[in-house]
């Protein structure tokens, strides 16, 4: 519907005759005249009805803006101003009736002129569009609702041509936009194997019957992935003919639900199987606790049959002493909707008492009402028996039977407390309560362990514990009461019956040395000295001595312990040697915590280790600062490994006959960000002590192999460059050493024959069979082996012919004497001759002068290395050196 000719209306309104009002009233549209300053001049009845006015007097003479909705005032004023300037315009806006009603109007505005053509105001032809606005808004809301729906909504013709799919459907099916929708048929959305059935059975039902609902499968158009849906389709009819003209479909993605159902069914099947094979007993009760079902394992644990367990029968099987407690806890926690968990006993009909861990949880309906309980019981009888044994092992080492660290610290703490109180009790028989703490570490125990085996290492620990007790018994009595001795020697019956216990007793028997040098005979001792010995680590022991009058008493005992452990241990017919480092902390240092005393003795022990020939060291308070510094260095070293501050340097090895570089020895250097270059002699011992050497060794070997592989490709020769790398004692003790090296060889693709591993003879543990086997495995990989610092070990000649060695490396101490004394010349001559007679070659280490080089060439020594040729250099410098001399 269009507006009437506005010029005609304007002319009529301009006539100043008696028909003025009639000309306004005869139009069906609302009319209002507004003066230039916005005052209502005239309106017709249609407009009065729109604004809910009963008479003209209510509105005429008032500003028209009073009727306009506040949000539309600006737009209306703008239109009014524009028309007053001679233009025309159209606007949709809201008016507020006098009774508060809100209506939407559409106006067409033209200028209102007098006979002279002057603009007097604005004539507004209005139409009420409230209903159409509501219809359009409803349509828009419906479209928005359809588009925002999570369900897949579509519209198709009776032939199946799709005309609409909402956003959810497009996303579900993988359709890109409305244009793509119009190119598809509803049948395109089906899985190929379902297409015929849908076309012949489902679609005709929808068209003929007007509706169909059920589960079916659609597919993702891009990935062809099946999508399970629940479909509700219905026909849309022509209101005039009542015949279907289109098919609307609302589909819901039920893929997750179908998967969940499938998983639930599979879970139920698995649960039924699990119930049969489960090692725990499972039972169900109703809300009152009456048993409905038990599995076979429940019957096996309790000794009751299914019939005996049903109803209240299961509660009668609970041990009488536990029954009331268990049932009260069960119902109390069930009432509070908590999980029941308790350990209790069943008294089986055959008289056996079984400990169980019982657990239960309530089953509830959707309203939260308890409908029953699901419960399990696990047989913990063995665990309960073991706990008795564990109570003993909480304070004693299971292997050596010595007190452990916890009991040691407790006894030491008691001693400190009594000393501080000036007690004269048995533990501190002198008023000042002087005492000493000794910390003992077995040197090279790890090497013995990994070379001779764990079982023999365990026997060595047991024998060491017994020898310590025997040695200390020569100076005093064991600081332990009779009850504690009983616990140490006679564990509980369940522990004695335990297989592991029997094995430990057998090991103890095999380690027993009837010819002990230190007989235990406390009753004959007249000294006041008492001792307490404990095992505080794998290969670490701690001793309390009290009272001690003089420092010399403690050092005498430390020397005696050291000498005792120097004697061989006879284990399985094999003599095993081991030594110890001992740290001593005297009570005079004045610490108040037992942990501090033990730490002080530990610090002294590490100081002893650094002095190779010392058997003990006495802690000095100033060492704490050094210990902190060492700890800081350890922290820095760990970070250095992570941050790759360690660098591999290379020292050339020269063929003395041709004066050409035949290979390099890889050496590690640490470039500290604050301290600069740190000598290997400073950080390598720390790395070995802390176990960080393993990571350093792997890094050096891998980096050096990678570098030498690159050089071999860059400088191809008949004999590839060789790489010499030192093997640490820690590496030699690692069980996976062969696998580590083999993996690095394969990663770096280095020719195995060009890798030469240097072994210091003193680092070998002394187990000839295992060492020879390990070295032969390295040889089987194609790796060459070299004895480093040859001539400095006392047993080299006795073992040399038994080991698969390729090279003897002459120690620099002999090379430095060439040209100075004749003895060094003869020693070098002998080593070179020995190497040649055993089909080995020789490398002279530490060559620094022309005279040394000449004598080595005269002795036909194959290779040399030292500052005469080059100091250790970084890889970049080595590259330049190879370019010049290869």
């Amino acid at each position: 519907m269009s507006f009437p000719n506005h010029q005609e209306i304007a002319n009529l309104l301009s006539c100043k005759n008696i028909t003025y009002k009639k000309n306004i009233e005869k139009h069906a549209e609302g009319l209002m005249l507004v003066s230039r300053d916005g005052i209502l001049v005239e309106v017709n009845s249609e407009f009065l009805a729109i604004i809910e006015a009963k008479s003209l007097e209510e509105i005429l003479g008032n500003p028209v803006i009073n009727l306009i909705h506040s949000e539309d005032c600006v737009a209306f004023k703008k239109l009014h101003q524009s028309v007053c300037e001679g233009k025309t315009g159209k606007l949709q806006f809201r008016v507020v009736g006098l009774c508060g009603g809100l209506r939407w109007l559409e106006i067409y505005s033209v200028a209102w002129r007098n006979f002279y053509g002057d603009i007097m105001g604005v004539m507004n032809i209005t139409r009420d569009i409230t209903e159409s606005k509501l219809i359009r808004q409803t349509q828009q809301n419906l479209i928005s609702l359809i588009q925002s729906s999570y369900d897949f909504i579509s519209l198709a013709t009776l032939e199946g041509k799709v005309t609409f799919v909402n956003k959810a459907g497009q996303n579900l099916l993988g359709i890109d936009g409305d244009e793509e929708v119009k190119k598809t048929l509803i049948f395109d959305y089906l899985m190929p194997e379902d297409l015929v059935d849908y076309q012949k059975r489902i679609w005709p039902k929808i068209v003929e019957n007007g509706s169909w609902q059920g589960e079916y499968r659609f597919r993702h158009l891009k990935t062809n992935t099946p999508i399970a849906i629940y479909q509700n389709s219905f026909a849309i009819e022509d209101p005039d003919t009542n015949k279907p003209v289109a098919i609307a479909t609302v589909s819901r993605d039920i893929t997750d639900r179908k998967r969940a159902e499938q998983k639930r069914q599979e879970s139920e099947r698995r649960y039924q199987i699990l119930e049969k094979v489960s090692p725990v007993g499972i039972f169900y009760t109703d809300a009152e606790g009456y048993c409905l079902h038990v599995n076979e394992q429940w019957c096996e644990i309790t000794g009751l049959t299914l019939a005996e367990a049903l109803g209240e029968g299961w509660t009668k099987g609970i041990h009488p002493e536990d029954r009331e407690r268990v049932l009260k806890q069960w119902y109390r926690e069930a009432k509070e909707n908590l999980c029941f968990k308790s350990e209790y006993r069943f008294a089986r009909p055959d008289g056996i008492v079984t400990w169980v861990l019982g657990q239960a949880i309530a089953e509830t309906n959707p309203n939260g009402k308890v409908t029953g309980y699901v419960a399990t019981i696990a047989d913990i009888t063995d665990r309960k028996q073991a706990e008795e044994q564990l109570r003993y092992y909480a304070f004693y080492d299971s292997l050596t039977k010595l007190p452990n660290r916890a009991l040691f610290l407790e006894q030491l703490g008691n001693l400190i407390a009594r000393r501080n109180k000036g007690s004269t009790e048995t533990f501190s028989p002198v008023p000042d309560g002087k005492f000493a703490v000794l910390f003992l570490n077995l040197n090279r125990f790890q090497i013995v362990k990994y070379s001779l085996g764990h079982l023999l290492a365990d026997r060595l620990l047991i024998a060491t514990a017994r020898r310590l007790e025997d040695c200390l018994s020569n100076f005093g009595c064991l600081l332990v009461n009779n009850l504690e001795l009983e616990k140490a020697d006679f564990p509980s019956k369940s522990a004695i019956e335990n297989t592991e216990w029997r094995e430990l007793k057998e090991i103890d028997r095999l380690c027993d040395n009837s010819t002990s040098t230190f007989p235990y005979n406390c009753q004959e001792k007249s000294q006041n000295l008492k001792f307490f010995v404990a095992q505080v680590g794998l290969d670490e022991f701690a001793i309390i001595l009290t009272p001690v009058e003089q420092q010399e008493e403690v050092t005498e005992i430390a020397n005696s312990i050291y000498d005792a452990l120097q004697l061989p241990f006879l284990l399985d017919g094999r003599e095993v040697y081991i030594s110890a480092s001992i740290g001593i902390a005297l009570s005079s240092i004045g610490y108040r915590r037992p942990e501090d005393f033990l730490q002080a003795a530990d610090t002294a022990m590490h100081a002893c280790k650094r002095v190779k020939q010392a058997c003990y060291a006495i802690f000095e308070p100033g060492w704490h600062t050094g210990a902190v510094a060492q700890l800081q260095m350890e922290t820095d070293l760990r970070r250095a490994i992570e941050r790759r501050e360690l660098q591999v340097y290379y020292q050339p090895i020269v063929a003395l006959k041709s004066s050409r570089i035949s290979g390099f020895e890889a050496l590690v250097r640490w470039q500290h960000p604050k301290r600069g270059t740190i000598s290997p002699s400073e950080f390598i011992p720390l790395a070995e002590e802390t176990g960080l050497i393993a990571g350093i060794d792997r890094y050096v070997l891998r980096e050096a192999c990678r570098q030498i592989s690159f050089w071999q490709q860059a400088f191809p020769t008949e004999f590839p460059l060789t790489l010499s790398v030192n093997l640490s004692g820690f590496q030699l003790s690692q069980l996976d050493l062969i696998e580590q090296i083999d993996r690095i060889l394969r990663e770096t693709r280095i020719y195995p024959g060009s890798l030469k591993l240097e072994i210091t003879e003193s680092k070998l543990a002394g187990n000839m069979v295992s060492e020879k086997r390990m070295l032969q495995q390295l040889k089987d990989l194609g790796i060459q082996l070299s004895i480093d610092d040859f001539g400095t070990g006392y047993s080299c000649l006795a073992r040399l012919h038994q080991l698969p060695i390729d090279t003897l490396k002459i120690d620099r101490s002999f090379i430095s004497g060439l040209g100075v004394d004749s003895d060094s010349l003869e020693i070098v001559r002998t080593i070179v001759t020995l190497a040649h007679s055993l089909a080995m070659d020789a490398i002279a280490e530490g060559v620094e002068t022309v005279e040394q080089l000449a004598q080595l060439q005269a002795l036909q020594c194959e290779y040399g290395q030292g500052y005469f040729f080059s100091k250790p250099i970084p890889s970049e410098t080595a590259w330049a050196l190879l370019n010049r001399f290869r």
Side-chain angles (χ1 to χ4, degrees):
M1 181 177 178
S2 60
F3 283 102
N5 188 296
H6 58 275
Q7 191 59 50
E8 177 187 351
I9 295 174
N11 292 335
L12 289 172
L13 292 174
S14 299
C15 296
K16 292 186 177 180
N17 54 43
I18 195 137
T19 61
Y20 179 79
K21 296 226 178 250
K22 293 181 180 180
N23 289 334
I24 295 179
E25 292 292 342
K26 75 175 182 178
H27 291 280
E29 291 80 12
L31 295 175
M32 63 174 176
L33 295 177
V34 181
S35 66
R36 291 179 68 95
D37 55 359
I39 303 299
L40 275 170
V41 175
E42 191 65 72
V43 299
N44 66 356
S45 58
E46 286 295 327
F47 188 78
L48 285 176
I50 291 173
I51 62 172
E52 303 171 338
K54 295 179 180 179
S55 65
L56 293 174
E57 287 76 13
E58 291 183 82
I59 61 171
L60 293 183
N62 294 322
V64 69
I65 204 70
N66 292 347
L67 301 175
I68 311 301
H69 191 278
S70 60
E71 294 179 2
D72 300 332
C73 288
V74 173
F76 185 87
K77 289 179 179 179
K78 185 176 180 181
L79 174 66
H80 184 79
Q81 182 65 34
S82 175
V83 175
C84 287
E85 294 173 358
K87 301 177 183 177
T88 61
K90 185 186 292 187
L91 179 68
Q92 291 183 358
F93 64 97
R94 289 162 290 181
V95 294
V96 181
L98 299 185
C99 297
L102 187 69
R103 307 293 293 180
W104 273 96
L105 300 183
E106 183 178 43
I107 64 171
Y108 193 88
S109 302
V110 296
W112 174 30
R113 301 175 184 269
N114 61 17
F115 282 111
Y116 302 104
D118 299 327
I119 296 176
M120 306 295 295
V122 176
M123 178 187 66
N124 298 287
I125 307 170
T126 67
R127 180 186 301 157
D128 190 340
I129 59 171
T130 304
E131 298 303 325
S132 61
K133 270 283 187 180
L134 290 175
I135 292 172
R136 283 196 296 272
Q137 186 63 47
T138 301
Q139 290 174 340
Q140 186 61 44
N141 291 343
L142 181 59
I143 292 173
S144 298
L145 180 63
I146 291 172
Q147 289 291 14
S148 63
S149 173
Y150 290 108
D151 289 335
F152 161 25
I153 301 174
S154 65
L155 193 65
T157 65
L158 298 182
E159 293 76 26
K161 181 175 178 58
V162 181
T163 58
F164 172 79
V165 174
N166 69 343
K167 297 296 183 184
Q170 293 180 20
N171 294 335
L172 182 67
L173 300 174
I175 300 175
D176 298 327
D178 295 338
E179 294 302 319
E180 290 295 324
V181 168
K182 296 175 183 179
K183 299 177 183 179
T184 62
L185 298 175
I186 195 71
F187 311 115
D188 295 336
Y189 305 159
L190 296 163
M191 294 296 294
E193 54 267 33
D194 299 339
L195 179 59
V196 174
D197 176 68
Y198 193 86
Q199 286 179 319
K200 291 185 177 181
R201 186 173 65 88
I202 304 301
W203 190 257
K205 282 185 180 181
I206 301 172
V207 175
E208 294 170 8
N209 299 337
S211 66
W212 180 85
Q213 60 183 13
E215 294 182 4
Y216 224 78
R217 292 192 306 168
F218 280 1
R219 68 185 180 92
H220 193 282
L221 299 184
K222 293 181 179 178
T223 65
N224 208 38
T225 305
I227 304 168
I229 63 162
Y230 186 84
Q231 176 180 338
N232 186 0
S233 297
F234 54 90
I236 297 177
E237 296 180 346
D238 186 324
D240 296 329
T241 64
N242 292 328
K243 291 183 179 181
V245 293
I247 303 297
T249 299
V250 180
S251 303
R252 177 161 294 177
D253 182 1
I254 59 171
T255 305
D256 291 340
R257 194 193 79 190
K258 298 296 284 186
R259 288 174 182 164
E261 288 178 358
Q262 183 180 359
K263 288 181 179 179
R264 179 179 57 79
Q265 294 170 358
E266 292 175 355
S267 177
E268 289 177 353
R269 287 194 296 270
R270 285 196 298 268
Y271 183 77
Q272 292 171 358
I273 296 171
L274 180 62
E275 186 182 278
K276 292 181 179 180
V277 302
S278 173
V280 300
I282 303 172
F283 67 105
Y284 307 91
T285 74
D286 61 16
E288 285 70 38
Y290 289 94
C291 181
L292 304 175
H293 172 74
V294 297
N295 70 342
E296 294 177 4
Q297 188 62 23
W298 192 93
C299 296
E300 181 71 23
I301 293 172
T302 63
L304 301 175
T305 65
L306 173 60
E308 292 171 332
L310 294 178
E312 294 181 337
W314 73 276
T315 64
K316 296 177 181 177
I318 300 176
H319 195 284
E321 296 178 5
D322 298 342
R323 186 180 301 140
E324 183 179 357
R325 171 182 64 83
V326 170
L327 294 179
K328 281 185 177 179
Q329 182 183 349
W330 177 297
Y331 291 116
R332 182 180 66 252
E333 295 182 351
K335 185 178 180 180
E336 297 176 3
N337 200 24
L338 300 174
C339 294
F340 167 83
K341 186 174 183 180
S342 180
E343 293 181 357
Y344 54 94
R345 293 166 291 176
F346 270 94
R348 294 168 52 97
D350 56 11
I352 297 175
V353 175
T354 304
W355 274 97
V356 300
L357 170 63
Q359 301 183 84
I361 189 170
E363 286 187 316
T364 58
N365 61 19
N367 297 325
K369 183 179 180 181
V370 174
T371 58
Y373 300 92
V374 180
T376 63
I377 58 171
D379 189 342
I380 59 171
T381 305
D382 290 342
R383 194 198 82 194
K384 281 290 186 180
Q385 292 174 351
E387 284 176 354
E388 182 182 354
Q389 180 180 342
L390 289 174
R391 276 191 291 272
Y392 165 76
Y393 286 141
F395 290 102
Y396 289 85
D397 183 78
S398 61
L399 183 64
T400 63
K401 313 302 183 295
L402 289 177
N404 62 14
R405 184 187 189 94
L407 186 53
F408 180 87
L409 291 174
E410 180 180 323
Q411 292 283 42
L412 183 56
N414 292 337
L415 178 59
I416 295 170
R418 288 167 180 162
R419 181 201 63 177
N420 293 339
K421 292 179 181 178
S423 172
T424 57
E425 297 178 22
T426 304
F427 196 79
S428 182
V430 293
D432 56 5
K434 292 182 180 178
F435 63 88
V437 176
L438 281 65
F439 194 101
L440 183 150
N441 176 259
L442 300 183
N443 298 325
R444 300 174 66 247
F445 174 78
Q446 294 290 346
I447 296 177
V448 173
K449 176 180 175 181
Y450 289 118
S451 60
L452 301 182
H454 290 253
L455 184 59
L456 208 63
D458 287 346
R459 294 176 180 174
L460 177 60
L461 288 173
I462 295 171
T464 302
R466 300 292 83 79
R467 189 171 291 186
L468 282 173
E469 290 176 332
D470 289 344
C471 178
L472 289 167
S473 68
N474 284 286
F475 296 93
C477 296
L478 186 65
L479 185 60
V480 62
N481 60 40
N482 292 333
L483 179 59
E484 289 172 321
L485 280 171
E486 280 186 17
K487 289 181 180 178
D489 292 339
F490 305 106
S492 65
K493 180 180 178 181
S494 62
I496 293 174
E497 292 172 349
N498 187 276
T499 303
E500 180 185 358
W501 177 265
R502 291 198 300 270
E503 290 176 355
L504 293 174
K505 295 299 287 183
E506 177 64 13
I507 293 174
D508 202 358
R509 183 188 65 78
L510 291 172
C511 293
D512 187 26
N513 191 344
S514 59
T515 59
S516 172
T517 314
F518 311 102
Y520 180 78
N521 191 5
C522 284
Q523 290 80 356
E524 299 178 3
K525 302 299 175 185
S526 59
Q527 298 96 326
N528 290 326
L529 183 71
K530 291 180 174 58
F531 66 86
F532 186 87
V533 59
Q535 185 172 1
V536 295
L538 175 63
D539 55 354
E540 296 172 335
F541 300 85
I543 301 166
I544 300 173
L545 299 175
T546 185
V548 290
E549 295 293 339
Q550 302 293 332
Q551 177 177 309
E552 289 73 16
E553 294 180 58
V554 182
T555 57
E556 180 185 357
I557 295 174
N559 278 316
S560 181
I561 293 173
Y562 181 83
D563 292 340
L565 296 180
Q566 288 285 92
L567 296 175
F569 290 88
L570 186 61
L571 305 174
D572 278 356
R574 181 197 304 273
E575 285 191 348
V576 178
Y577 289 86
I578 199 165
S579 63
S581 297
I582 304 172
I584 302 172
L586 301 173
S587 59
S588 58
I589 61 178
Y591 290 157
R592 305 186 68 84
R593 299 195 316 153
E595 294 85 357
D596 295 336
F597 274 102
L598 190 61
Q599 181 61 51
D602 188 6
T603 301
M605 181 274 293
H606 282 89
C608 175
K609 279 184 177 291
R610 288 192 287 272
V611 182
K612 301 295 183 181
Q613 303 302 319
C615 67
Y616 66 83
I618 300 176
F619 178 78
E620 297 179 9
W623 286 0
H624 177 70
T625 304
V628 172
Q630 185 180 28
L631 182 61
Q632 182 60 50
M633 178 174 281
E634 178 185 344
T635 302
D636 291 348
L637 185 55
R638 290 181 186 276
R639 292 174 178 168
I641 296 172
E642 297 170 359
R643 299 172 180 174
R644 296 190 176 275
E645 294 173 6
L646 300 180
Q647 300 176 2
V648 180
Y649 274 53
Y650 302 88
Q651 186 170 33
I653 298 174
V654 177
L656 301 184
K657 188 175 181 179
S658 63
S659 297
R660 302 182 71 85
I661 297 175
S662 65
F664 291 90
E665 179 179 2
L667 302 166
V668 67
R669 296 291 185 266
W670 181 9
Q671 191 64 34
H672 193 281
K674 294 182 179 179
R675 297 176 54 187
T677 303
I678 298 179
S679 170
S681 61
E682 187 175 352
F683 71 84
I684 290 297
L686 176 63
E688 291 177 338
E689 181 181 331
T690 57
L692 295 174
I693 192 66
I696 296 175
D697 286 340
R698 285 193 298 271
Y699 166 72
V700 171
L701 182 58
R702 179 177 282 105
E703 178 62 21
C705 285
R706 184 195 64 78
Q707 187 63 65
I708 207 71
S709 175
F710 174 71
W711 288 339
Q712 286 175 348
Q713 296 176 34
F715 303 100
T717 59
E718 181 181 356
F719 301 103
L721 284 170
T722 62
L723 172 66
S724 296
V725 180
N726 287 285
L727 274 185
S728 67
F730 186 89
Q731 279 181 295
L732 291 171
S733 68
Q734 290 182 298
L735 296 178
D736 62 342
L737 173 64
I738 306 300
E739 290 77 6
Q740 285 184 31
I741 295 176
D742 183 46
R743 183 165 55 252
I744 290 173
L745 289 176
R746 286 186 278 105
E747 288 175 359
T748 58
R749 299 182 180 179
I750 184 177
Y751 170 60
S754 59
L755 176 61
K756 183 176 292 186
L757 298 178
E758 296 186 359
I759 304 168
T760 303
E761 196 275 340
S762 60
K763 295 293 178 66
L764 297 174
N767 183 359
M768 178 60 68
V769 176
S770 62
E771 289 168 0
K772 185 176 180 181
R773 181 169 57 251
M774 179 194 66
L775 296 178
Q776 188 57 54
Q777 288 176 328
L778 290 172
K779 287 290 293 181
D780 292 342
L781 292 177
I783 296 170
Q784 297 186 63
L785 300 174
S786 171
I787 293 292
D788 196 14
D789 301 334
F790 186 79
T792 59
Y794 66 89
S795 62
C796 283
L797 296 178
R799 307 173 61 185
L800 187 59
H801 71 284
Q802 302 179 35
L803 300 176
I805 303 301
D806 299 286
T807 301
L808 297 182
K809 197 164 187 180
I810 307 170
D811 188 69
R812 66 177 64 247
S813 62
F814 302 127
I815 303 302
S816 63
L818 291 179
V820 178
D821 62 84
S822 58
D823 288 343
S824 294
L825 176 61
E826 292 307 317
I827 292 173
V828 173
R829 186 195 310 276
T830 301
I831 295 174
V832 173
T833 302
L834 176 63
H836 292 168
S837 65
L838 294 176
M840 303 177 188
D841 53 36
I843 299 178
E845 190 177 24
V847 180
E848 297 184 353
T849 66
V850 176
E851 292 77 9
Q852 293 170 357
L853 174 61
Q855 291 192 11
L856 289 169
Q857 289 173 329
L859 294 173
Q860 297 184 355
C861 179
E862 284 83 357
Y863 303 100
Q865 130 184 36
Y867 275 44
F868 178 77
F869 304 109
S870 172
K871 65 180 181 180
I873 53 178
S875 58
E876 297 81 4
T877 309
W879 170 269
L881 199 63
L882 284 170
N883 270 319
R884 189 167 47 171
F885 289 104
R886 286 291 286 184

